[in-house]
Amino acid sequence: MATVNIGLMPMAHGEAPVPDAIVGTWEADDGTVKLDMFKAGAEFQARMLYGNEIVEADNVTFKKDAKNPDPTLRSRSLKNIVFITGLHWENGEWSGGSIYDASSGRTYNCKAAVKDGKMHLRGYLGLPAMGQTRTFHRVRG
């Protein structure tokens, strides 16, 4: 999917992003998380490809979704689960989404923006000002 975005690279030079600019593989700047953003109908979603909180100490085996509030999902693997849902493009950003934190079993509101070639993903409860932003860079190949 990353090759689909070659034509979207002008955004790295300060131009406004287009709705599909978020699609592709992204890695947190600190290297702890890798995700695959994709379009599903009218919304954007993401799968967790790697995360230090979702793999065992061997960095290979995926943990189970043990803290999920739904007891029937606690035995599922965290490999490739869709953990971001509901993002919609509006007014130059993706908003209205939800992000599931498997390490706590909690779900937060989220929004994202792409600026200067970086994706800024913000998770929050209530107001966006009451949250945390992670910065990601695009992974090629």
Side-chain angles (χ1 to χ4, degrees), residues 5-141:
N5 294 307
I6 303 267
L8 302 176
M9 295 319 295
M11 69 182 176
H13 296 94
E15 293 181 24
V18 295
D20 288 348
I22 200 170
V23 173
T25 304
W26 298 86
E27 183 176 22
D29 283 352
D30 65 7
T32 58
V33 176
K34 188 182 284 186
L35 54 94
D36 174 34
M37 297 290 298
F38 60 96
K39 191 166 186 179
E43 72 179 52
F44 295 87
Q45 300 180 350
R47 281 187 189 85
M48 181 79 70
L49 300 176
Y50 172 82
N52 62 350
E53 295 290 327
I54 66 166
V55 293
E56 300 291 351
D58 65 5
N59 277 336
V60 176
T61 308
F62 282 82
K63 293 180 180 179
K64 300 292 184 194
D65 197 3
K67 295 191 179 177
N68 195 301
D70 181 345
T72 63
L73 297 176
R74 292 180 185 159
S75 63
R76 75 175 176 172
S77 170
L78 291 174
K79 183 176 183 177
N80 290 325
I81 67 163
V82 175
F83 77 105
I84 294 178
T85 58
L87 283 174
H88 294 277
W89 173 255
E90 189 173 333
N91 298 325
E93 71 175 7
W94 297 266
S95 59
S98 297
I99 185 167
Y100 173 63
D101 175 18
S103 66
S104 69
R106 297 188 69 178
T107 299
Y108 300 90
N109 298 321
C110 73
K111 66 180 190 170
V114 174
K115 184 175 180 181
D116 297 327
K118 299 272 189 166
M119 178 176 66
H120 304 275
L121 180 63
R122 185 161 189 81
Y124 58 94
L125 284 173
L127 300 173
M130 306 300 278
Q132 178 182 6
T133 300
R134 300 277 311 265
T135 303
F136 293 78
H137 58 273
R138 189 175 297 279
V139 176
R140 301 207 185 340

